[in-house]
Amino acid sequence: MDVWLANSHSALAAQKSRKREGEEKADRAQYPLIEAGAVTSATLQEQHGRLEWATIVRNDSPRRLVCASKEPVLAFPPTRPAPTRIPPTTISQRAEQGAHFLRMHYPEVDISGALIREHVAAEAQLADSLQKFDPYVGACISAFCLPDASLKRSAFVAFPTGENASDLNVSEFEFFGRDGVIARPSARVVETFQTPMRQVVAADNEQGAVVGVRTHSATSLFRITAVPSWTPASATTIDSTSLASFTSADLNGRQVADVQLASQADQAVLVNDRGHVYRNRFESSVGLETVYDSSVHSSESTDDPFWRACFSTNPNAISLASARDLTRLDVRARAQGVVLYSVRFPMDCLTGVECGQEDQMTRVVTTSEIVWIDERNPGRPVMAFKHGREFDRTLQCSVVEVGDANLTVLSSRKNSLLTVYDVSHSGSGLVQAHAPPYDLRHQFPLATGRAEFCFARPPPELRDPHVALLRMSDQGSIYHTVLALALDGISPDPPTAAEADWSPEVHALEAQNNAARADPGNLGARDAHQLDLRPLYRRLFNPADASERVYPEPDPEGVYQTLENMPTFFQDADLPAEQILTTFDIAFRSGEEPSNPSRADFLTRSALSSRRGYRALVQGRIPMDKLAKAVPWHRNIARFVEQFVPDVSSDMETMEKRLKKYDLAEDDARPGLSLRREADAREQLALDLALSLDVYSPQPFVTRPPASNPLHFDDTAVETMSRAAEAMSIDEGARPVLAPAVQFGFLNPMPIIDHYAREEDRKGDGAPRGAGEDMPAGVRLLLSEWDVGADPESYAFHDPYGDARREVQRRGPSQASAMVKPPPPAAQSQSQQRPPPIVSVAQKPPLVVVASLRVPPPIALSRSGPVGAGHALSQDTKAPPLRRNASLGGALEHSQSQSQEPMTSTQIEPGPFGGRQSVGGGRKKPVKKRLGGF
């Protein structure tokens, strides 16, 4: 067999999701899909004249791609400041800010608030979608080599620099084998563009290298050459020559979504956001020529602007990837392409495509898997791996050639996780995974925002087994480390060095960028206004006249009138208070209306907010005790407030001593008026805190019936009698025994009334049901253990299962029977005539009994004699009754002894079917008669 078996589960799922798309796409979904922890494909292979089983994933290969250097090194300093942190605001707040800006700068323009809100909402939605995934953003860092005799050890990297990422920089990385890799960055700008860069690609050949740069406004192609340098330790000077430049007008007015260069660096391919493919050959004077028109050749139309292209080993073959399909195009035919791969499920999307030049394998990355397709046999994918990552449309793969291994590295712009897939041709000819997927453990520092990775390889003539891994952050800084292929899976010792050789120009560039700050924009550059606050402070702390004070001293008659009205506040109030009030609230409402009211009562001064009010508090003339007696509920919350404000105390002297630590430093030059103002502020703060420590409620929290009423019936007793009647009833439709209704106190729930229902359906039996009866049984059982008005601190929980379980574990199974209560004498007389019953305490779960639930005494048969057909039923008066507050442990012990005590019986007539209706409704089943004859 020369192929691996496909997964039946994945093929069946793909066929179900592709019922409407024909059989061709369903057949392509049948390929080996490898998932972590699942059984993989296997086949028989001939080894040394014998057949042996071989799996698609080998676990015996120890080779791994590891970091050969000790730690990453900063190869290029950051050139962009950290992004400005914009505080999160809602759509309404943004609309108000925009309206305020327009009214301030353009007062003559009248724009409605709804129009501003609509535009702000559309802008926020677009910004949120681009933050998650921008289909026009590509890889902005690329590596290449130059065919120069003096640069046989160097690789070059092209990337954007500058504050706006609009300057093209080309830096050198020199390889020295086991001695490491040295980065020689250059501060010289090769090219400058008007808009930021979105993608940078590069390719090399014998004549030089070609670099393609895609910006917001145009796509430019340059020829890169090296200028000979007579200094061996200095950075190489790079020269560029423009080859071509294309704008959106050259692509039918559409933006460029992707640009790719052929491996021979002789042509470029551009794809716009509608899937139209254009080619430009550098040696031809034709310019752009249309290769593929998706609106003509493709039957599926999509509004997704995601399109990617890739050159294969054949220069005339191009792989075009959309969000759903991968199509192989022939640039010479200009006809409809061949679909190589389609996503298996509707929620999946293609995120990237990469073609290997050595193994002739195409890698396709989706949001759920990574697929390998052989270019020589593109009818069926070779294999696929479930990468197990969350939905991420920024996933990309790179092909890294290290020694004899062609590795596939999966990366994302949203995190720094790198997953290595060692998939290549094996000795038997089959494509095989030589090791399970593993992560590349690098030690790059944490980067804010998105990060991009790039692999720089030395020239092929050098045969260096090392590869440089570069990571570029959003601020433009580049770190690099050295990678190597370890055949034993262990990093080399000693490690390979990763160094950086900076020139004075690069150091000056770093110092310049460290001093740079983010541009806040026009709204951030606001005008500053200088205000003189000395008159305000003079009015606050040193008023020349008492009338100029911010808070003048209140009238003494108002203070005395407030103290006189406070004891009868709840009796004299026109409207009853519906909420809890503090002493400050009562003092505020007992006085006259303030002249300068505030938005909240606690921010408005009352008549007691004065020196006379403080003296009345110290002398005990504020009637707090009378207020406490006038209301049904009162509480002092000093202990609770002290947990949040440690300076609070019920004692005024203690509180004033604690507040003195906030006084200003003692100075002989301080005037007496300042000291008096400080003492007044401390007294007023102590007064406000003291008036907020006592709370009063005009309504009681506990609702209890009056005990002096002799005609009052306890609801629990009435309910207990009704439950006893239900237990003795033989009606099959009787209600089950439930917990009592929940008794509410201060807060009562409002029942939901359906006003559209009929009157008889709404009222039911004519009596309105309380809110406590509508509670679920579980809630009622939990709340039945609490008594309304009881102190919650005195509640103690007793585990009904713990005592019996610990007793069984302590005594052991042999002594478990000792825990069973002996049966009553009436039962002992009958137990002598039959074998003793087998009682298993450890295997039978204990019975859950609600302690506060009143149930009627059990009904049992009289065991005074043998039960016959003529004996009548009676209640066993020896059955232990259940008390109302019986412990759960006693109920558990009583339930464990039920197997030896008289049991409850509901049969009213003797016989095997006493008192029960037969299945046939009372009719006898007719007997079949046997016919005579043969």
Side-chain angles (χ1 to χ4, degrees), residues 552-574:
E553 192 73 14
D555 186 14
E557 294 296 332
V559 177
Y560 303 145
Q561 187 67 27
T562 301
L563 294 176
E564 184 179 353
N565 295 338
M566 287 180 64
T568 60
F569 169 77
F570 292 100
Q571 289 80 8
D572 300 341
D574 297 335

Side-chain angles (χ1 to χ4, degrees), residues 90-103:
T90 61
I91 301 297
S92 301
Q93 293 174 347
R94 296 183 188 179
E96 291 180 2
Q97 293 175 2
H100 179 69
F101 175 80
L102 292 176
R103 296 190 190 100

Side-chain angles (χ1 to χ4, degrees), residues 551 588 593-605:
Y551 301 111
F588 176 77
E593 291 292 334
S595 57
N596 49 352
S598 178
R599 292 184 178 181
D601 293 347
F602 66 91
L603 297 177
T604 305
R605 295 169 58 90

Side-chain angles (χ1 to χ4, degrees), residues 562-572 581-588 590 608 621-635 691 694-698:
T562 301
L563 294 176
E564 184 179 353
N565 295 338
M566 287 180 64
T568 60
F569 169 77
F570 292 100
Q571 289 80 8
D572 300 341
L581 301 177
T582 62
T583 310
F584 180 86
D585 298 332
I586 298 176
F588 176 77
S590 299
L608 296 184
R621 290 188 289 124
I622 297 180
M624 297 184 182
D625 297 338
K626 296 181 179 180
L627 289 174
K629 296 178 180 179
V631 294
W633 186 87
H634 161 258
R635 180 78 62 173
L691 294 180
D694 289 87
V695 292
Y696 309 90
S697 174

Side-chain angles (χ1 to χ4, degrees), residues 541-542 667-680:
F541 298 104
N542 192 14
D667 189 2
D668 297 338
R670 289 182 59 186
L673 187 60
S674 174
L675 298 175
R676 194 180 314 113
R677 175 66 178 176
E678 186 179 62
D680 291 345

Side-chain angles (χ1 to χ4, degrees), residues 39 123 515 599 763 785 891:
V39 179
E123 182 182 356
R599 292 184 178 181
K763 293 185 177 181
E785 300 183 7

Side-chain angles (χ1 to χ4, degrees), residues 112 184 249 385 445 480 525 678 700 707 790 825 878 919:
S112 63
R184 304 186 189 277
F385 269 95
H480 82 104
E678 186 179 62
K878 298 181 180 181
V919 180

Side-chain angles (χ1 to χ4, degrees), residues 81-221:
T84 305
R85 183 183 178 275
I86 301 177
T89 55
T90 61
I91 301 297
S92 301
Q93 293 174 347
R94 296 183 188 179
E96 291 180 2
Q97 293 175 2
H100 179 69
F101 175 80
L102 292 176
R103 296 190 190 100
M104 179 180 294
H105 295 277
Y106 304 97
E108 67 279 357
V109 180
D110 186 12
I111 301 178
S112 63
L115 182 60
I116 297 176
R117 180 187 296 271
E118 181 181 352
H119 282 272
V120 169
E123 182 182 356
Q125 184 179 3
L126 178 61
D128 186 39
S129 62
L130 293 180
Q131 182 69 21
K132 295 179 180 179
F133 173 67
D134 190 355
Y136 296 99
V137 174
C140 292
I141 181 172
S142 183
F144 59 92
C145 298
L146 291 178
D148 195 328
S150 61
L151 302 175
K152 289 186 177 181
R153 289 183 173 273
S154 299
F156 295 86
V157 178
F159 56 94
T161 59
E163 185 178 356
N164 298 324
S166 58
D167 300 333
L168 179 63
N169 184 285
V170 178
S171 297
E172 179 184 2
F173 288 81
E174 192 171 359
F175 290 80
F176 292 95
R178 293 288 301 174
D179 295 335
V181 180
I182 299 179
R184 304 186 189 277
S186 174
R188 178 177 173 268
V189 177
V190 177
E191 293 289 341
T192 302
F193 303 93
Q194 297 180 355
T195 55
M197 302 182 192
R198 286 189 167 186
Q199 184 182 5
V200 177
V201 294
D204 55 73
N205 56 11
E206 290 86 6
Q207 288 79 23
V210 177
V211 175
V213 178
R214 178 170 60 90
T215 63
H216 285 262
S217 58
T219 301
S220 305
L221 302 175

